[in-house]
Amino acid sequence: MEHVKVLIIGSGPAGYTAAVYASRANLAPVLYEGIEPGGQLTTTTRIDNFPGYPEGVDGPQMMAELRAQALRFGTDIRSGIVTEIDLSSRPFRAVVDAEHTIEAESVIVATGASAKYLGLESETRFRGAGVSACATCDGFFYRKRDVAVVGGGDTACEEALYLASLCRKVYMVVRKPFLRASQAMQRRVFDTPNIEILFEHNTVEVLGDEEGVTGALLRKTDGTETKIDIAGFFLAIGHHPNTELFKGQMELDDEGYIKVEPGTSRTSVEGVFAAGDVKDPHYRQAVTAAGSGCIAALDCERFLLK
Ligand code: NDP
């Protein structure tokens, strides 16, 4: 059976940064990229707040560069999904793609978070046929058409602004009477003439036919119902951590985020470290994820030296 010192699960800024540090420390890490190689940033447009890029950088480009940096120091980057893991004793055992078992002296979990959906049956029916959680991936299909974005946070505003540059009209469906996004983002949304914000509205149903989405039925908090005609329905209502694999094996908080010892990446299982959005419900930035990847690799190195 294959045996490695460090197994890194996940390939966002946290996983790749952990890989850079672990490789440079001669720990010969093996990194599995997971379901979404490069993580959430591969579905982002411009990143203007990562230090060192005065002109900004595209998400996919930044992830490709981080990947190249990890490769440069010898990280063994593999495509594959860790489908099972046993953290009950060391060495830990992970099964990849339900067929290949690997033993690891330590594990860095950087599996990130995934988009949430509303949970409507009609939303599931039209997923991939007008329903999407990624405007930058799918917005192109709705050029010059009308679309809706659900949510009132920074992600929803960012998605609405992106779509407004392509589409005829963008409705923002916001359940509260205000936006939760940063002031700067709100201002940009309010200043965009083809974005209409429908405050205090919830989605009752996504409407469509065999071709895909044609509209949405919304209900205002006063009970009145409105139908909007749209071709695309975009979700931007937050994320949930990708921790299903670890349930019952390490301490998670009520929302499923991995609990770490404050100021470290140490989880409740000795030899298992967590980095990035999977343990961070608060900051969730590329730079904080990268920083926590560095911390995880340093904690891991110290653990292995013991
Ligand atoms: P947030 O949790 O900040 O916002 C989620 C939004 O979705 C809220 O408006 C929330 O409403 C709404 N929502 C949640 N559940 C439902 C539901 N079931 N039905 C309808 N609406 C719902 O998530 P984001 O992804 O926007 O942001 C996460 C973090 O990432 C934040 O800290 C944000 O600042 C950061 N971020 C920063 C960016 C940047 O700096 N450029 C870009 C994107 C994100 P309610 O307010 O009522 O709870």
Side-chain angles (χ1 to χ4, degrees):
M1 189 187 306
E2 187 180 11
H3 184 99
V4 298
K5 278 190 199 155
V6 183
L7 173 66
I8 300 174
I9 311 175
S11 56
Y16 284 142
T17 306
V20 168
Y21 274 77
S23 301
R24 286 169 58 87
N26 284 328
L27 298 178
V30 168
L31 180 151
Y32 279 97
E33 293 182 311
I35 296 170
E36 191 177 29
Q40 290 177 71
L41 288 181
T42 54
T43 63
T44 307
T45 41
R46 205 101 193 121
I47 301 169
D48 280 325
N49 50 12
F50 199 91
Y53 290 95
E55 304 305 325
V57 59
D58 286 343
Q61 186 194 337
M62 192 172 96
M63 295 322 300
E65 286 174 3
L66 260 174
R67 187 179 193 278
Q69 196 173 354
L71 281 174
R72 180 181 150 216
F73 294 110
T75 304
D76 184 348
I77 298 177
R78 302 176 185 177
S79 59
I81 299 164
V82 174
T83 45
E84 276 173 60
I85 196 153
D86 179 358
L87 303 177
S88 58
S89 60
R90 274 203 312 274
F92 307 115
R93 279 180 178 220
V95 179
V96 181
D97 293 335
E99 57 187 23
H100 171 66
T101 303
I102 182 165
E103 273 186 354
E105 288 168 45
S106 65
V107 176
I108 296 177
V109 181
T111 47
S114 297
K116 281 186 191 164
Y117 286 81
L118 295 170
L120 301 170
E121 184 278 323
S122 52
E123 175 194 54
T124 314
R125 189 153 25 103
F126 293 112
R127 213 182 274 188
V131 171
S132 164
C134 177
T136 46
C137 316
D138 301 325
F140 180 78
F141 301 115
Y142 307 99
R143 278 171 67 195
K144 298 192 169 52
R145 303 182 76 184
D146 295 351
V147 296
V149 176
V150 183
D154 280 315
T155 305
C157 290
E158 211 172 51
E159 305 259 285
L161 288 163
Y162 175 74
L163 289 166
S165 67
L166 295 171
C167 303
R168 192 171 55 181
K169 175 161 189 167
V170 180
Y171 295 97
M172 282 186 78
V173 183
V174 180
R175 66 180 176 182
K176 292 230 171 91
F178 53 84
L179 295 176
R180 185 199 278 219
S182 61
Q183 290 300 321
M185 201 65 104
Q186 292 195 28
R187 210 171 314 118
R188 287 180 59 200
V189 166
F190 293 138
D191 288 347
T192 305
N194 62 337
I195 297 180
E196 181 183 344
I197 308 179
L198 301 170
F199 286 113
E200 298 186 80
H201 279 78
N202 279 294
T203 309
V204 179
E205 196 182 348
V206 182
L207 308 169
D209 54 25
E210 58 289 343
E211 305 265 297
V213 170
T214 56
L217 182 64
L218 310 177
R219 186 178 297 135
K220 206 174 174 189
T221 39
D222 65 8
T224 50
E225 290 194 346
T226 322
K227 183 176 156 286
I228 52 172
D229 294 327
I230 48 167
F233 183 82
F234 289 87
L235 282 309
I237 59 170
H239 294 80
H240 60 82
N242 296 323
T243 50
E244 287 73 18
L245 204 56
F246 310 103
K247 270 184 191 148
Q249 303 209 57
M250 66 169 90
E251 276 187 41
L252 307 178
D253 73 9
D254 292 343
E255 288 182 66
Y257 287 89
I258 296 175
K259 283 190 183 177
V260 293
E261 224 175 274
T264 78
S265 63
R266 291 198 287 269
T267 70
S268 59
V269 180
E270 201 182 7
V272 180
F273 307 88
D277 285 8
V278 75
K279 57 110 204 150
D280 175 14
H282 302 295
Y283 301 106
R284 307 164 43 89
Q285 301 298 301
V287 65
T288 53
S292 73
C294 157
I295 291 171
L298 294 177
D299 284 345
C300 185
E301 186 186 356
R302 279 175 206 145
F303 164 77
L304 291 171
L305 278 175
K306 275 200 284 179

